[in-house]
Amino acid sequence: MSASDRPVVFRNGLVLTMDDAHTVLPGADVLVVGDRIAEVGIGLTAPDDALEIDATDGILMPGMIDTHRHLWQTAMRGYGADWTLTQYFVWYYLESGKLFRPEDVYAGNLLGAIEAIDAGVTTTVDWSHGLQTPEHADAAVDALEAVDGRFVLAYGNIQQGPWEWATSPEFRDFHRRRIDGGKLAGFQLAFDVTGDPAFPERAAFEVARELGAPVTTHAGVWGATNDDGIRLMHENGFMTPSTVYVHAATLTHDSYNRIAATGGSVSVSTESEQSAGQGYPPTWQLRHHDIPVSLSMDTSVWWSGDLFSAMRSTLGADRSREHLEAHAKQETITHCHLRAEQVVEWATRGGARALGMDTTIGALTPGRQADVVLIKNDASPAMFPILNPHGHVVFQAQRADVHTVLVAGRVVKRDGRLVGVDLAAARARVAATIDHLRETMGEQAWQRGMNPDIPETAILENPYQYTEWDAGSAQWKH
Ligand SMILES: [Zn+2]
């Protein structure tokens, strides 16, 4: 019998329930029976056969939820660290993205899915916009089904207009074969709305409506999507409470008002927005408009699938903005408006709400699915003292401190090690993908893609800058 078939009881942890009151229970137990949380409290009685996990000096929290990840790109982890959004678009959309075969999508998805559960991200939306053929789509789902996590497939294809792929018989056939009654946690349609006044995306929205599938869309991306896309969606009645607007960083108040009024949510990818340039991470705007927020990591071609960094960077970016605006008015911020507790909420309940799963995941309360993360690392000097539990999760903890992870009551990570995962096999698949890309592109193009040219540097005019230091006279030469 594997551990996951037994009840599990975590003993003596600091429990962040993330229930509606954000109840924190020090020295508490969490009992899991089957796929659900049975009880949370002090000194619980557990069944005799329960697997007991000591959570002393650790934090128990709900599994984290990432609402926007291009998992297929995990095969190229870190390659685009110095990219801008333009370089990303050229690489994936226009040039080399087409080289991905179904097995390459499988390799990226497999590694990304494993990475997610390792980091305590128990639910991930795979924003899968590399599905050039039904074989690519099958490969994406095969990989997600091979990993014991909760995955939502957001189907997309950047090589065609959404009005083309979403209306094709192949797409319908795929949906019938793999989604209806399949093992995935959910299904979305993933495409962007360009703002073309003819609104060709209408056909894809109609398919989504017919299938009862939410739409997730990169909105408010500087230079790519803007207020026109939001207006067209709104005027045509396609903005719904289940719509997820990714980034929503470069938009006017009018667009935020339309999102707020129709009940949709925004998936904020702070590290992405800061580095790629979609716009300033928008939580300061979203808070103002009372728009629900979830968090996401976007892609491992730049960043990692690690919601600790999403929480940390989001809190920092929001505060940074607030200070900057105050300083511009010669004022100072004496109290931070955004609190650590709020970003933990966004990483858990926020994601659950965005996915319409708020009654099943996102909190440690009896009856919900047992997606549980134990953050504990007795060897780490950063894991004590734990005084401010939400703040500790956001600013102190990191993925290496993820000790144990349960998904639907199954132990998928224990004592810091993944359970039942063949990492060597995943690594071999990714290596084969990299070989394929390198060989097909040629070494020069591969290197050039990773190391974009830096334009000629302009010398900053600085009145305090001297021309040359003369070591002999120990003086500046003028
Ligand atoms: Zn994205």
Side-chain angles (χ1 to χ4, degrees):
M1 186 194 266
S2 77
S4 26
D5 300 322
R6 298 161 55 184
V8 178
V9 63
F10 293 93
R11 294 291 190 195
N12 194 36
L14 177 56
V15 182
L16 308 191
T17 63
M18 300 316 293
D19 63 6
D20 290 343
H22 292 183
T23 308
V24 175
L25 297 168
D29 303 342
V30 174
L31 174 64
V32 172
V33 177
D35 60 356
R36 284 166 198 275
I37 293 163
E39 252 183 297
V40 181
I42 315 278
L44 298 180
T45 307
D48 288 342
D49 64 336
L51 169 70
E52 200 162 295
I53 296 173
D54 181 13
T56 304
D57 295 329
I59 296 171
L60 284 155
M61 67 176 287
M64 289 169 271
I65 299 167
D66 183 329
T67 53
H68 154 243
R69 282 264 290 151
H70 308 295
L71 284 179
W72 62 293
Q73 298 175 349
T74 309
M76 293 178 61
R77 180 188 302 289
Y79 180 90
D82 292 323
W83 278 356
T84 60
L85 199 57
T86 305
Q87 282 147 352
Y88 169 85
F89 282 145
V90 169
W91 206 97
Y92 277 108
Y93 285 57
L94 302 179
E95 293 175 358
S96 310
K98 293 172 190 162
L99 301 177
F100 272 70
R101 305 159 301 177
E103 59 261 50
D104 304 318
V105 169
Y106 185 97
N109 267 28
L110 186 68
L111 183 61
I114 294 169
E115 178 189 4
I117 59 167
D118 183 59
V121 180
T122 51
T123 300
T124 302
V125 174
D126 177 22
W127 220 102
S128 195
H129 55 356
L131 306 181
Q132 305 174 55
T133 70
E135 291 73 37
H136 287 78
D138 279 324
V141 177
D142 288 344
L144 300 179
E145 289 183 350
V147 177
D148 272 339
R150 222 177 272 282
F151 299 102
V152 172
L153 180 72
Y155 192 112
N157 175 7
I158 47 180
Q159 303 304 337
Q160 283 183 8
W163 53 92
E164 295 171 298
W165 60 258
T167 56
S168 70
E170 294 81 12
F171 173 71
R172 285 309 180 100
D173 177 60
F174 166 82
H175 186 268
R176 230 179 347 260
R177 286 187 296 108
R178 302 305 300 264
I179 303 303
D180 267 347
K183 283 165 65 180
L184 294 178
F187 183 71
Q188 301 178 337
L189 264 67
F191 59 87
D192 300 340
V193 181
T194 60
D196 177 347
F199 193 46
E201 296 87 0
R202 172 192 301 281
F205 279 108
E206 282 170 350
V207 170
R209 180 182 283 169
E210 195 195 322
L211 296 175
V215 168
T216 176
T217 186
H218 292 117
V221 173
W222 204 95
T225 57
N226 58 30
D227 293 311
D228 289 333
I230 297 287
R231 184 180 46 76
L232 285 163
M233 285 175 68
H234 190 240
E235 287 172 356
N236 288 283
F238 292 116
M239 288 175 75
T240 76
S242 68
T243 309
V244 177
Y245 307 87
V246 175
H247 304 305
T250 305
L251 293 173
T252 60
H253 287 298
D254 179 68
S255 285
Y256 291 123
N257 283 339
R258 292 180 201 253
I259 294 172
T262 50
S265 65
V266 170
S267 174
V268 176
S269 306
T270 299
E271 285 200 335
S272 180
E273 287 129 26
Q274 288 181 318
S275 204
Q278 295 90 343
Y280 199 92
T283 53
W284 60 289
Q285 291 270 36
L286 304 174
R287 291 194 287 113
H288 180 67
H289 288 274
D290 203 18
I291 293 172
V293 174
S294 65
L295 301 184
S296 59
M297 285 309 299
D298 206 346
T299 168
S300 283
V301 81
W302 272 284
W303 310 283
S304 73
D306 173 358
L307 283 200
F308 293 108
S309 63
M311 289 188 279
R312 192 176 297 183
S313 58
T314 301
L315 191 54
D318 193 290
R319 290 176 175 177
S320 197
R321 182 84 195 201
E322 207 167 29
H323 290 303
L324 210 60
E325 304 224 328
H327 297 172
K329 293 183 280 185
Q330 299 300 314
E331 291 171 3
T332 194
I333 297 288
T334 55
H335 295 74
C336 290
H337 283 93
L338 186 59
R339 299 298 165 105
E341 186 173 329
Q342 186 62 48
V343 292
V344 177
E345 152 98 14
W346 287 340
T348 52
R349 294 292 291 281
R353 283 195 198 96
L355 301 179
M357 296 164 83
D358 192 37
T359 56
T360 50
I361 58 174
L364 299 182
T365 55
R368 278 187 209 244
Q369 286 285 302
D371 294 2
V372 184
V373 172
L374 170 60
I375 301 166
K376 166 175 162 137
N377 186 349
D378 293 341
S380 166
M383 282 307 289
F384 64 89
I386 298 173
L387 304 175
N388 175 336
H390 296 100
H392 208 98
V393 167
V394 176
F395 280 138
Q396 306 295 329
Q398 52 162 323
R399 60 187 305 152
D401 303 321
V402 173
H403 177 284
T404 294
V405 180
L406 267 60
V407 179
R410 292 185 309 273
V411 179
V412 294
K413 185 179 186 183
R414 192 176 169 194
D415 285 332
R417 302 196 70 87
L418 289 161
V419 176
V421 167
D422 189 348
L423 203 54
R427 187 185 287 226
R429 285 176 179 276
V430 168
T433 288
I434 297 305
D435 286 347
H436 160 69
L437 291 171
R438 266 180 120 134
E439 275 164 30
T440 318
M441 292 172 66
E443 191 58 25
Q444 218 184 350
W446 172 261
Q447 292 297 340
R448 205 172 47 233
M450 185 160 41
N451 303 293
D453 291 339
I454 295 178
E456 246 177 79
T457 311
I459 302 294
L460 192 68
E461 262 191 64
N462 181 342
Y464 303 107
Q465 192 171 315
Y466 299 92
T467 48
E468 204 184 330
W469 178 253
D470 181 41
S473 66
Q475 282 188 337
W476 292 104
K477 290 183 190 169
H478 291 270

